[in-house]
C-alpha cells in the first residue's frame, strides 16, 4: 500500500495551500513550521500592542483563493471580510500626485489631467498589452507546471502562436515602457511593477508588464489585516484534518533508496511520510540546510541572481501634511540611480518609498492621529553578510523620512516601531540573504530556470514564492496547488506501475518523471 502521509515543511502561503488541498484529497498531512504560527512572510508584527501587517498588503487574484477554498469544501467569504478597492494606489513625485483606480475610465481621466492626452493613449495601449500578455500566459505558464520555451509553445498551440512569437521576453520592461509613456513619471510608475517580484525594470523582460494587469483586475482589502489570510488558510487545512506543529524547525529531509521518506526535526524527532512538500526556499535545500542527502534535489542560487530584499518599518505613527491613501508610493527622481545602487549591493541614497496605511480606506478615509503604517524601501539581499550597524539603520530611516517629506508627508514614528532588515528576512527564510521573491526575474530565461514543483528526489516537492510560477501571494498559492497536482499525478502513476509490475501484469511503465515540473 502506498504511504499516504505527507509532511509539509513551512506554513507560508505555498505550504498552507498545498496542505489544505492535499488533505482535501484524503492525504494525512502534517505541517511543520519553524515559527510560532502560520504565514511566513504573510505575517503581522506586534508593534506597541497592535498587530501591523509586516509582509504583503496588496491582495490580488481573489478568484484564485475562492477556487482553492471551494476545492477544500470551504468559502473564502466565510473566513474573511474582503472589500474591493476603488482606488488602487496613490503615487507622488514631490507636489505631483496621481491615483490609479479600479475603473479604467477613472484612471484614464486621472492620467489625462496628470500628463495629457498622449499619456492617456499610451496608457490605453499599455493596459491592452499587459492584458494580452497575462491572458496568453495564464493557463499555459502560470497555472501549468514548470516548462521550457519549446513546451510552452506547444501548450499555447496554433491559436496562441501570434502571442508566443510576441511575448516581449527579449526587451527590457523599462525600454518597452518608453514606447508607451513619454512622461518619465509614468514610465517609473509602471516600471515599479517589476519590484512585485523583486526585480529591476531595467533588467527584467517586458513580459512582466502582465503584473500591471493583475493589479488593474482588482485589489482587495482584507479587514483587520492581510495576515488574516494565513489564519484563514490554516483554518481551511484544519477543517480538512491537517495537523500543524509550530516552533518545530526541520533539520533534515529523510531520503531512503533515493526517495524522500519524511523529515527530521531539530529536536531529533523523525516524522515518516510517503512524500514531502518543502515550502522553505529551495535555495535552503541546495545549501544543505536539510542535510547532505537532500542537497542535490535543487540548484543553488548565486547571490548575484537573488531578487530584492527590503527594509520594512512597521509602526504606530502620526502622518501629517499629505493625504495618504491605503497604498501610497513616493517616487525618487532618479530610478536608474536607485536600481544601479541596488544592483551594486547598496541601499539607494534617495529611495522610492511605499507606505501602507492599513487602517484607512482605499482612498484615504479613516485617517487617525495614531495609525498603523507599514513602510517599505527596497534593499539588496545581502542579509547573510555583516548586519547593518545602528548608525546605518539610522541613516536609512532618515533617508526614508526625507524621501516622503518631498511630497509634504511628515511622519512621526512611535518608539515601538519595528524595523525588519534583510538579515531578519534571511533568518525567516534561510539561505536567501533576505531575498523576498526567490531568484530575480532578470533576462528572458529566468522564469524558465526557476525551481519547479518536482525536485531531483522523487517524493520531494517544492512550493512557494521562490518556485515556479513566481513570487507574490497568488503565485505562491498557485505553486502550492501545482505541487499537489504533481504529487497526486506521480502517486497515481506509481500505483499504476506497481499494479503493472504485479505478477500477471504485462507492462512495466516508468514510475515518475522526477527531474522536471
Ligand atoms: C515586506 C513584504 C511585502 C510584500 N508585499 C506583497 C504584496 O503586497 N502582495 C503580494 O502578493 N506579495 C507580497 N509579498 C510577497 C509575498 O509575501 C510572498 O511571495 C509570499 O508570502 C511567499 O510565500 P511562500 O509560500 O514562499 O512562503 P514564505 O512566506 O517564504 O514562508 C516559508 C515558511 O517556511 C518556514 N521554514 C523555513 N525553513 C524552515 C525549516 N527548516 N523548518 C520549518 N519551517 C521552515 C518559514 O518559517 C516560513 O514560515 C511581500 C513580501 C514581503 C516580505
Amino acid at each position: 500500500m502506498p504511504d499516504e502521509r505527507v509532511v509539509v515543511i513551512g506554513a507560508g502561503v505555498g505550504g498552507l495551500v498545498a496542505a489544505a488541498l492535499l488533505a482535501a484529497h484524503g492525504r494525512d498531512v502534517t505541517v511543520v513550521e519553524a515559527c510560532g504560527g502560520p504565514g511566513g512572510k504573510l505575517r503581522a508584527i506586534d508593534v506597541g500592542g497592535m498587530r501591523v501587517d509586516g509582509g504583503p498588503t496588496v491582495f490580488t487574484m481573489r478568484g484564485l483563493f475562492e477556487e482553492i477554498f471551494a476545492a477544500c469544501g470551504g468559502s473564502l467569504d466565510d473566513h474573511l471580510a474582503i472589500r474591493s478597492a476603488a482606488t488602487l494606489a496613490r503615487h507622488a513625485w514631490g507636489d505631483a500626485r496621481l491615483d490609479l483606480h479600479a475603473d479604467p475610465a477613472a484612471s484614464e481621466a486621472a492620467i489625462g489631467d496628470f500628463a495629457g492626452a498622449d499619456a492617456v493613449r499610451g496608457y490605453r495601449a499599455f493596459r491592452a498589452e499587459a492584458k494580452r500578455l497575462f491572458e496568453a500566459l495564464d493557463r499555459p505558464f502560470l497555472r501549468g507546471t514548470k516548462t521550457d520555451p519549446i513546451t510552452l509553445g506547444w501548450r499555447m498551440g496554433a491559436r496562441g502562436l501570434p502571442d508566443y512569437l510576441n511575448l516581449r521576453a527579449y526587451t527590457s520592461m523599462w525600454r518597452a515602457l518608453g514606447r508607451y509613456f513619454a512622461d518619465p513619471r509614468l514610465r517609473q510608475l509602471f516600471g515599479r511593477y517589476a519590484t512585485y517580484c523583486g526585480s529591476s525594470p531595467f533588467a527584467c523582460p517586458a513580459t512582466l508588464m502582465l503584473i500591471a494587469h493583475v493589479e488593474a483586475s482588482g485589489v482587495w482589502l482584507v479587514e483587520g489585516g492581510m495576515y488574516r489570510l494565513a489564519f484563514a488558510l490554516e483554518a481551511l487545512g484544519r477543517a480538512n484534518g491537517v495537523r500543524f506543529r509550530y516552533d518545530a524547525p526541520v533539520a533534515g529531509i529523510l531520503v531512503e533508496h533515493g526517495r524522500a521518506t519524511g523529515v527530521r526535526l531539530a529536536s531529533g524527532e523523525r516524522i515518516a511520510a510517503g512524500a514531502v512538500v518543502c515550502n522553505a526556499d529551495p535555495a535552503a535545500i541546495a545549501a544543505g540546510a536539510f542535510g547532505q542527502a537532500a542537497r542535490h534535489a535543487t540548484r543553488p542560487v548565486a547571490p548575484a541572481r537573488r531578487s530584492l530584499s527590503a527594509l520594512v518599518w512597521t509602526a504606530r505613527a502620526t502622518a501629517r501634511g499629505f493625504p495618504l491613501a491605503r497604498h501610497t508610493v513616493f517616487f525618487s527622481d532618479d530610478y536608474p540611480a536607485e536600481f544601479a545602487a541596488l544592483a551594486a549591493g547598496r541601499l539607494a541614497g534617495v529611495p522610492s518609498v511605499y507606505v501602507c496605511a492599513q487602517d484607512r480606506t482605499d482612498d484615504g478615509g479613516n485617517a487617525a492621529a495614531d495609525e498603523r503604517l507599514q513602510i517599505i524601501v527596497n534593499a539588496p539581499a545581502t542579509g547573510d553578510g555583516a548586519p547593518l550597524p545602528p548608525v546605518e539603520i539610522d541613516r536609512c530611516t532618515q533617508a526614508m523620512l526625507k524621501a516622503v517629506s518631498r511630497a509634504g508627508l511628515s511622519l512621526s514614528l512611535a518608539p515601538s516601531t519595528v524595523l525588519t532588515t534583510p538579515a531578519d528576512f534571511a533568518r525567516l527564510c534561510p539561505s536567501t540573504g533576505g531575498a523576498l521573491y526567490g531568484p530575480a526575474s532578470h533576462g528572458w530565461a529566468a522564469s524558465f530556470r526557476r525551481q519547479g514543483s518536482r525536485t531531483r528526489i522523487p517524493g520531494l516537492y517544492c512550493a512557494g514564492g521562490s518556485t515556479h510560477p513566481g513570487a507574490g501571494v497568488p503565485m505562491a498559492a498557485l505553486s502550492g496547488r501545482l505541487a499537489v497536482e504533481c504529487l497526486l499525478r506521480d502517486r497515481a502513476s506509481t500505483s499504476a506501475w506497481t499494479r503493472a509490475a504485479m505478477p500477471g501484469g504485462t507492462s512495466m511503465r516508468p514510475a515518475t518523471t522526477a527531474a522536471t515540473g
Side-chain angles (χ1 to χ4, degrees), residues 8-16 32-35 37-43 54-60 196 226 245 248-252 265 278-281 284 289-290 310-312 327 354 374 376 425 427-430 436-437 463-467 470-477 479-480:
V8 177
I9 305 171
V13 175
L16 290 168
V32 276
E33 162 60 54
C35 295
K41 297 177 189 104
L42 176 56
R43 62 186 181 148
T57 52
V58 179
F59 184 32
T60 55
Y196 281 32
M226 183 133 165
R245 297 191 51 185
V250 172
L265 303 185
C278 183
N279 177 222
D281 200 291
F290 293 102
L311 294 174
V312 183
H327 305 290
Y354 162 81
Q374 184 202 79
I376 303 186
F425 285 120
R427 272 190 288 280
L428 178 66
C429 300
L436 298 175
Y437 316 84
S466 301
T467 298
V473 169
M475 295 300 125
S479 172

Side-chain angles (χ1 to χ4, degrees), residues 236-264:
L236 185 71
R238 280 194 200 281
N240 281 278
V242 177
R243 282 181 298 278
F244 288 89
R245 297 191 51 185
Y246 293 116
D247 297 310
V250 172
I253 293 170
L254 306 175
V255 181
E256 286 166 32
H257 309 297
R259 258 198 89 79
T261 54
V263 300
R264 178 173 47 80

Side-chain angles (χ1 to χ4, degrees), residues 38 42-44 51 53 69 76 79-81 222-235 372:
L42 176 56
R43 62 186 181 148
R51 308 211 77 193
D53 266 325
F69 274 76
L76 183 62
H79 290 267
L80 295 172
V222 181
E223 202 167 291
M226 183 133 165
Y227 72 91
R228 292 198 173 176
L229 176 61
F231 286 94
L233 287 167
E234 187 210 45
R372 294 179 292 174

